[in-house]
């Protein structure tokens, strides 16, 4: 799947749309989800153009991958959710219902998050 330069996170990265930024470094940006599902709901994204985790894991540089993983830990610690626990999640593709086609990792915390998935 080709990268869509008009997706909302691309527009946030270009400064065309606002975001509530919580962390930024050379390769990574983290900001609050516009529709939070938990008291802490933050999205951590690479600044590079990657459609999803599949694209990122194949094509990102080691520096970009390290930056993203370090950012997750940094944000979780800064939010104070480490002791009580938090969850990270990345949706890829249709079955996972990925909505925004720019790779992002969700960080959820601040409450009991319940089971990982509900059974069907
Ligand atoms: P996913 O289903 O994993 O692609 O989740 C996309 C998330 O992106 C969803 O939780 C809502 C969030 N989101 C969508 N548009 C915006 C936006 O313009 N700003 C922010 N901060 N979050 C957004």
């Amino acid at each position: 799947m080709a990268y869509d330069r008009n997706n909302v996170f691309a527009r946030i990265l270009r400064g065309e749309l606002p975001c509530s930024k919580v962390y930024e470094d050379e390769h990574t940006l983290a900001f609050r989800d516009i529709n939070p599902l938990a008291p802490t709901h933050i999205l951590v994204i690479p600044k590079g153009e990657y459609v999803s985790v599949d694209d990122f894991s194949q094509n990102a540089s080691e520096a970009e991958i390290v930056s993203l993983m370090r950012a997750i830990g940094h944000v979780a610690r800064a939010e104070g959710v480490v002791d009580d626990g938090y969850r990270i999640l990345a949706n890829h593709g249709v079955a996972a219902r990925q909505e925004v086609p720019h790779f992002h990792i969700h960080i959820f915390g601040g409450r009991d998050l319940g089971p990982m998935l509900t059974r069907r």
Side-chain angles (χ1 to χ4, degrees):
M1 181 179 172
Y3 183 82
D4 170 13
R5 292 196 163 160
N6 284 320
N7 78 75
V8 287
F9 296 169
R11 298 186 64 200
I12 285 172
L13 284 165
R14 288 197 297 268
E16 296 168 7
L17 291 175
C19 73
S20 177
K21 182 168 76 177
V22 296
Y23 176 81
E24 181 173 17
D25 66 24
E26 182 183 356
H27 298 296
T28 303
L29 177 69
F31 53 90
R32 297 192 188 281
D33 195 289
I34 204 168
N35 182 25
L37 299 174
T40 290
H41 185 173
I42 290 168
L43 302 169
V44 183
I45 73 171
K47 291 183 176 179
E49 296 180 347
Y50 301 102
V51 175
S52 76
V53 64
D54 184 64
D55 186 10
F56 187 74
S57 68
Q58 285 191 73
N59 299 315
S61 68
E62 292 189 6
E64 290 174 304
I65 293 169
V66 167
S67 166
L68 192 95
M69 287 305 299
R70 296 266 191 229
I72 290 167
H74 177 90
V75 167
R77 288 189 294 276
E79 284 290 302
V81 294
V82 174
D83 287 350
D84 285 346
Y86 65 98
R87 180 173 293 156
I88 65 172
L89 179 149
N91 294 313
H92 163 78
V94 174
R97 304 192 187 196
Q98 181 180 358
E99 290 175 8
V100 179
H102 181 112
F103 174 44
H104 50 283
I105 289 184
H106 299 256
I107 301 177
F108 301 106
R111 66 169 170 84
D112 183 339
L113 296 167
M116 187 166 62
L117 288 175
T118 52
R119 295 189 188 281
R120 302 197 67 184

